[in-house]
Amino acid sequence: MSPELDDNSTKLERTCSECGAGFTVESVASRRKYCSPICREIECAHRPKKRVCPQCGEEFTTDLSRKRIYCSAECRTASRAAQTETRTCPVCEDGP
């Protein structure tokens, strides 16, 4: 993937890392590697990511979702239950 400047030197031609299609970026400083959001999602979906579960502290690997933060449904449920239990009403806190 070698960048080539066109005639007016303000736009840059690149090749999509996923599908191989050509596309134009507006600046040499652009970090864009994909021709579309669809190609970006396809490429990123196959990269396994290591994360640490905020509930149990276990490290896990996922390639299912960019938003997945818990290692299991059980940890997700336990975390939500703990958040619900710690909520208090500001009116009730002050007391009568």
Side-chain angles (χ1 to χ4, degrees), residues 11-65:
K11 296 186 179 188
L12 189 68
E13 290 293 321
R14 292 199 178 155
T15 304
C16 179
S17 297
E18 176 60 25
C19 71
F23 65 96
T24 304
V25 293
E26 297 297 321
S27 165
V28 176
S30 174
R31 295 189 294 166
R32 190 171 156 198
K33 296 183 346 183
Y34 307 102
C35 64
S36 68
I38 294 169
C39 280
R40 183 183 67 235
E41 289 298 322
I42 290 170
E43 178 72 18
C44 292
H46 298 293
R47 291 187 195 154
K49 294 165 186 67
K50 288 188 177 184
R51 297 194 174 137
V52 176
C53 178
Q55 179 64 26
C56 68
E58 292 290 320
E59 186 175 299
F60 67 100
T61 303
T62 182
D63 63 350
L64 299 176
S65 171

Side-chain angles (χ1 to χ4, degrees), residues 4 10 14 16-17 20 31 37-39 44-45 47 57 72 77 79-81 85 87 92:
E4 296 176 14
T10 59
R14 292 199 178 155
C16 179
S17 297
R31 295 189 294 166
I38 294 169
C39 280
C44 292
R47 291 187 195 154
S72 65
T77 303
S79 177
R80 288 181 181 167
E85 291 173 7
R87 292 183 187 161
C92 298

